[in-house]
Amino acid sequence: MAVLGNKEYFKGIGEIPYEGKESDNPLAFKHYNPEQVVAGKPMKEHFKFAMAYWHTLCGTGGDPFGPGTKQFPWNASSEPIAAAKEKADAAFEFITKMGFEYYCFHDFDLVDEADSLAESEKRIQTMVDYLKQKQEASGVKLLWGTANCFSNPRYMNGAASNPDFNVVAHAGAQIKIALDATIELGGQNYVFWGGREGYMSLLNTQMKLEQDNIGRFLNMAKDYARGQGFKGNFFIEPKPMEPMKHQYDFDAATSINTIREYGLQDDFKLNIEVNHATLAQHTFQHELQVAANAGMLGSIDANRGDYQNGWDTDQFPNNVTEIAEAMLVLLKSDGLEGGGVNFDAKTRRNSTDLEDIFLAHIGGADTFARGLLVADAVLQKSSYEDLLDKRYASFASGAGQNFVDGKLTLLDLYQHAQSNGEAKQISGKQELYENLLNQYV
Ligand code: XLS
Ligand code: NI
Ligand code: NI
């Protein structure tokens, strides 16, 4: 099964089949049927499911109260390149057994960072050569690459927004290397998640300089990548807090402002993460809609938060209604521009069987598949769209239409109101819409 490497890491688990919802096989998809056509294209094309290297291969379950709990058989070697190759073998075995076609990584998910930039670059290059062969042998593709400019202590005050230029320059070097790796592996997109781009206290912060520096930095990265022939999208991934108290890319609207303020709108879109949306006290579907309205709905990081404490717990998606509402936005806005659905999610600390990683991804894929089927049924079979059109019908003819067309003045509104009297009360009918969605869940 494993391509190149000859060890099998996930023993006893074969390719995950689609068996339909009557199946009792926990290692089968119940709803995700890759080739099934929904709204004009196969499910797998709607989603482009990706495995996140960091959670799946690197995260052993450490938390602030204790160390990792998971024993990964690919973590045996203490020699960095040998360990990295084992990790890559396990990654590709997992992706192909899941029947997924994509993966995403941070530079130092691939291989441990070395003591010098030059040595780190060498290690990454070695792994890029290795991954290239694995991609060719398996057909698996890189959805996006990114750089981890937040874990190393040097970034404790930020990367591109760091108050020290030397750190900004180091981040620049790291991102150049990560861009080179992404481009060489045919990466379809490149992600910037702000990491520690933000601040803890305004007392010691020159906020405008920090934000302008981010703008300059993103432009440099974009210009460099375009110069190297990169044709894909750049994504900003909004997140409101954690690790910093105030993150500069708080939510979709804030990030769109950053993109426009620094003239990046032709190259940048957004990567919307479910748990980051809820951490910002928005719904996931709200964030998708804000991105879509700006023509910037690029990609999704799939997970879910904790409904009781709201934290960024990165659990696997399993809330069908939440995802169905999100898929309504997706279908109505013609899908993702360039990106896919990356499972930026981790199994719980006490889920210690290797099998659990499969169960988690199966559940996540099935949740998205069910959500898509529900949303498609609502659009195809129900009166949903008619109801929504009716709600806004006053803008589709007469004075309302003229208003939309920009033909009215404030005086016209005044005269309209004077001659039409008090507006009739019209119910918003939220419960009707909710019941309608529920009917297809
Ligand atoms: C962290 C982010 C991160 C990005 C990639 O909260 O979700 O994993 O997706 O840097
Ligand atoms: Ni996250
Ligand atoms: Ni993410």
Side-chain angles (χ1 to χ4, degrees):
M1 189 81 258
V3 194
L4 295 184
N6 44 21
K7 222 192 225 159
E8 190 180 26
Y9 295 92
F10 303 98
K11 290 203 185 77
I13 300 177
E15 274 180 47
I16 304 300
Y18 165 72
E19 291 184 359
K21 67 176 179 184
E22 303 307 326
S23 166
D24 288 323
N25 178 4
L27 288 168
F29 294 114
K30 313 294 182 301
H31 304 275
Y32 176 57
N33 184 7
E35 305 297 338
Q36 185 181 331
V37 174
V38 182
K41 58 180 179 188
M43 279 189 183
K44 65 175 192 183
E45 283 174 32
H46 281 279
F47 300 133
K48 293 164 74 178
F49 283 135
M51 178 210 73
Y53 224 93
W54 52 104
H55 286 309
T56 306
L57 284 311
C58 311
T60 54
D63 72 9
F65 308 97
T69 50
K70 302 171 199 222
Q71 278 142 29
F72 290 154
W74 51 88
N75 269 351
S77 174
S78 56
E79 198 281 308
I81 294 296
K85 287 185 175 170
E86 284 211 63
K87 213 191 317 186
D89 292 343
F92 275 68
E93 185 190 328
F94 177 77
I95 300 165
T96 47
K97 282 184 169 177
M98 283 302 302
F100 289 175
E101 292 178 350
Y102 295 89
Y103 69 114
C104 303
F105 62 70
H106 300 87
D107 44 6
F108 299 127
D109 299 336
L110 299 181
V111 61
D112 287 348
E113 186 171 7
D115 290 337
S116 73
L117 195 59
E119 179 56 24
S120 290
E121 182 168 20
K122 235 170 75 196
R123 286 187 186 178
I124 287 173
Q125 187 55 52
T126 304
M127 287 315 297
V128 165
D129 293 340
Y130 193 67
L131 289 165
K132 222 171 164 177
Q133 297 173 49
K134 297 194 76 76
Q135 287 186 188
E136 273 159 24
S138 62
V140 169
K141 298 174 280 263
L142 177 60
L143 187 64
W144 50 261
T146 189
N148 178 336
C149 292
F150 44 87
S151 293
N152 189 298
R154 88 170 65 83
Y155 296 123
M156 67 180 188
N157 291 307
S161 65
N162 198 290
D164 177 5
F165 172 71
N166 292 311
V167 178
V168 175
H170 195 108
Q174 204 184 312
I175 285 172
K176 176 216 175 276
I177 296 166
L179 280 166
D180 289 341
T182 301
I183 295 168
E184 206 173 324
L185 289 169
Q188 299 185 355
N189 311 277
Y190 186 87
V191 163
F192 293 90
W193 166 56
R196 292 179 201 274
E197 311 294 22
Y199 67 89
M200 306 301 278
S201 166
L202 194 56
L203 286 174
N204 67 358
T205 303
Q206 289 188 12
M207 187 168 144
K208 172 125 178 70
L209 177 64
E210 289 197 1
Q211 290 191 298
D212 287 349
N213 284 349
I214 290 178
R216 280 184 266 276
F217 190 99
L218 293 178
N219 268 287
M220 284 179 189
K222 183 259 297 174
D223 290 342
Y224 173 76
R226 291 292 183 237
Q228 298 301 111
F230 179 62
K231 299 265 187 311
N233 298 295
F234 299 91
F235 297 141
I236 287 182
E237 181 179 322
K239 183 174 181 178
M241 60 198 77
E242 195 213 51
M244 295 315 232
K245 159 84 178 144
H246 299 274
Q247 293 274 157
Y248 290 134
D249 296 324
F250 186 94
D251 63 359
T254 313
S255 303
I256 289 167
N257 183 59
T258 301
I259 290 172
R260 290 186 177 143
E261 167 123 20
Y262 298 108
L264 297 161
Q265 60 278 356
D266 294 337
D267 299 272
F268 276 66
K269 300 183 191 306
L270 300 181
N271 179 33
I272 302 293
E273 180 163 322
V274 185
N275 206 165
H276 296 183
T278 52
L279 203 58
Q281 310 229 323
H282 297 305
T283 60
F284 176 40
Q285 56 271 28
H286 168 88
E287 290 291 86
L288 293 178
Q289 189 68 59
V290 170
N293 291 351
M296 293 184 192
L297 179 49
S299 207
I300 286 174
D301 267 8
N303 54 26
R304 79 175 199 276
D306 182 291
Y307 296 113
Q308 279 69 49
N309 65 23
W311 291 339
D312 190 21
T313 52
D314 285 351
Q315 296 172 74
F316 274 82
N318 80 346
N319 183 331
V320 176
T321 308
E322 177 177 51
I323 300 303
E325 285 199 42
M327 292 302 101
L328 266 180
V329 178
L330 198 77
L331 286 177
K332 288 178 63 158
S333 52
D334 276 338
L336 300 168
E337 293 192 56
V341 175
N342 167 48
F343 287 107
D344 193 351
K346 58 188 176 200
T347 53
R348 297 303 83 194
R349 186 169 187 267
N350 56 347
S351 298
T352 46
D353 292 342
L354 286 180
E355 180 200 68
D356 297 330
I357 306 173
F358 281 86
L359 297 175
H361 283 82
I362 290 169
D366 272 343
T367 303
F368 267 76
R370 269 189 87 182
L372 184 74
L373 291 167
V374 170
D376 182 53
V378 166
L379 292 175
Q380 297 304 319
K381 298 186 195 155
S382 81
S383 53
Y384 173 71
E385 295 228 88
D386 293 339
L387 275 171
L388 205 52
D389 285 346
K390 222 176 103 197
R391 188 160 192 234
Y392 291 88
S394 64
F395 292 101
S397 67
Q401 176 79 64
N402 289 339
F403 172 79
V404 168
D405 292 343
K407 290 181 184 153
L408 301 189
T409 63
L410 192 65
L411 215 51
D412 291 325
L413 300 189
Y414 171 80
Q415 273 150 9
H416 184 92
Q418 287 286 13
S419 48
N420 283 273
E422 184 57 43
K424 226 174 77 207
Q425 188 178 57
I426 304 174
S427 170
K429 310 224 63 86
Q430 182 176 325
E431 296 78 5
L432 177 62
Y433 286 84
E434 288 169 350
N435 294 352
L436 217 144
L437 185 76
N438 235 355
Q439 191 181 337
Y440 292 92
V441 170

